[in-house]
Amino acid sequence: FFDHSSVLLRIAMGTSNWYFFVMTGGLMVCGTFNSLIAKLIYGLKSEGVHHLVHNFEKPWFQTTNMFLGMLLCLPLFYAKTVMMARMHGRDEENKPLLPGSPTSPLSDDSKSQSIHAVIAATAVADLAATGLMMTGLVFTTPSVYQMLRGAEVVFVAALSILFLKSHLDQHMRMGIVITVVGITLVGVASCVGDSGTAQGSYSLGMQVLGIVLILLAQLVAAVQQVAEEFLLQDVRMDALELAGYEGLWGGLLCVAVFLPLFYLLPGGDQGRLEDSYDSLLMLYNSRMIVLAEVLNCLSVLSYNYFGLTVTQDFTAMHRVIIEASRSLLVWISDLAIFYIFTNGKFGESWTWSSYLQLAGFVVLLIGTIVYNYTTLYVEIHHEKLQEQFGQYPETGLPQSSRHSQTSRSSAHSKASSSRSYGAQGRLPVQ
């Protein structure tokens, strides 16, 4: 038995078979590459100030580079808008979705200021969450870092219910519980065993600090995810547009406020909390770091496109659940880097605590499948379900919908309305 409203919502998301798998696959692959390249950069060495050669452990420079990658979404958004206008034979004055045009959420002057305020708030939340996660990543391994990010699902679920009036069916609630169990196993594995990281070892206290910082970041990120779902589904912003403006606001804050502030505050980076001059000098002296930063920037661009598209066409809960499950790719890639590609210089080795991590991953994967059970079933049996639900007048789905093409905008409307739509009954799926 499926929740009536859940099945209808998944059908309304569109008739393109395997769309869910393409979007989530892109999110997992790009996200995995992003996690690995971020950790790899921390292990690269170069000559900085005072001619000292050391690791490029610059979490806030990484954060700034992340926002630069997001900012690159804006040119893509405008290029997409121009192409859409030309395809529909529209002239320059009638481009859709551009700020100032009738179809853009930013065209209404009375709402534009408040929308920009929400976008700026999401950028601040993204900045804080990313900074905390990048700092925590210094003291943990990529697989632990990635799997602990699954804690975000709990926070997003609570905030979605409280503020977006979302409805969670029995599969979703069960999936959340299973995910929490998997997160607990991963945290225990990090604390009781050797991390196996090749970039350097840290004390138990520093590993615990890294875990705490990553978990705190998930709470902040959950606020961002819920706000993004509101902007994408209720305000109807384009995913590329939202990512670009978040990058603009976040980049300005980093360059104008945080990097100068951390340069002045005392710390362990050449006597400063983070020495930006040392960062630039290390970039100048290492082409490898420059190449890695460029790849990181491009991975951020693609990762945010797939991530926000999943939030736009599904929900924020789907995104965070899927991201928790991509730890398998991160872990396998990290092991391959250590044993195959770098001969133990980079990556992560297999230790006795890895068995506990493996158990945690299996539990997380089960939680992901359980949470997305309805979505997966509908994607695979889409036409069959459309025909079956068309037999029930109370669903509001016409019998001819089997051959119709449901628009994405209608899916957004159904997604928004479904938040307050409770379990009004269940229909058998044979």
Side-chain angles (χ1 to χ4, degrees), residues 93-154:
E93 296 180 356
N94 294 321
K95 293 178 183 177
L97 298 177
L98 280 172
S101 71
T103 55
S104 171
L106 299 178
S107 61
D108 189 341
D109 293 335
S110 62
K111 296 180 180 180
S112 177
Q113 186 174 359
S114 60
I115 293 175
H116 273 297
V118 177
I119 297 174
T122 62
V124 172
D126 197 2
L127 175 64
T130 304
L132 290 169
M133 283 189 287
M134 288 296 182
T135 305
L137 179 59
V138 174
F139 308 115
T140 60
T141 63
S143 58
V144 170
Y145 157 78
Q146 182 58 55
M147 284 189 270
L148 285 176
R149 292 189 66 178
E152 187 180 353
V153 65
V154 180

Side-chain angles (χ1 to χ4, degrees), residues 77 80 84 97 105 231-232 236-243 305 308 312:
F77 166 69
K80 170 186 172 182
M84 290 177 60
L97 298 177
L231 290 171
L232 290 168
R236 303 277 296 280
M237 292 190 69
D238 186 89
L240 288 173
E241 182 183 26
L242 177 57
Y305 168 74
L308 288 176
Q312 177 176 309

Side-chain angles (χ1 to χ4, degrees), residues 48-232:
V49 297
H50 308 306
H51 304 287
L52 296 176
V53 177
H54 56 94
N55 290 344
F56 194 79
E57 294 181 344
K58 307 284 186 177
W60 288 97
F61 184 89
Q62 291 281 76
T63 303
T64 306
N65 188 49
M66 178 204 72
F67 282 117
L68 175 60
M70 296 175 66
L71 180 60
L72 294 178
C73 290
L74 272 185
L76 294 179
F77 166 69
Y78 289 122
K80 170 186 172 182
T81 303
V82 172
M83 291 179 61
M84 290 177 60
R86 290 178 177 177
M87 288 176 61
H88 291 83
R90 298 172 181 172
D91 58 22
E92 293 294 318
E93 296 180 356
N94 294 321
K95 293 178 183 177
L97 298 177
L98 280 172
S101 71
T103 55
S104 171
L106 299 178
S107 61
D108 189 341
D109 293 335
S110 62
K111 296 180 180 180
S112 177
Q113 186 174 359
S114 60
I115 293 175
H116 273 297
V118 177
I119 297 174
T122 62
V124 172
D126 197 2
L127 175 64
T130 304
L132 290 169
M133 283 189 287
M134 288 296 182
T135 305
L137 179 59
V138 174
F139 308 115
T140 60
T141 63
S143 58
V144 170
Y145 157 78
Q146 182 58 55
M147 284 189 270
L148 285 176
R149 292 189 66 178
E152 187 180 353
V153 65
V154 180
F155 300 129
V156 170
L159 294 176
S160 296
I161 293 173
L162 289 175
F163 297 105
L164 298 181
K165 308 303 180 185
S166 298
H167 169 69
L168 302 179
D169 62 25
Q170 60 182 0
H171 296 106
M172 294 177 176
R173 292 192 295 269
M174 188 181 302
I176 292 173
V177 173
I178 297 174
T179 300
V180 172
V181 174
I183 294 168
T184 303
L185 290 175
V186 173
V188 172
S190 178
C191 291
V192 303
D194 180 12
S195 66
T197 181
Q199 283 89 334
S201 58
Y202 292 93
S203 65
L204 175 61
M206 297 307 292
Q207 292 184 43
V208 172
L209 174 63
I211 291 174
V212 171
L213 290 177
I214 293 173
L215 290 176
L216 180 61
Q218 304 321 301
L219 176 59
V220 180
V223 176
Q224 176 198 353
Q225 295 279 2
V226 172
E228 285 178 343
E229 182 176 337
F230 167 77
L231 290 171
L232 290 168

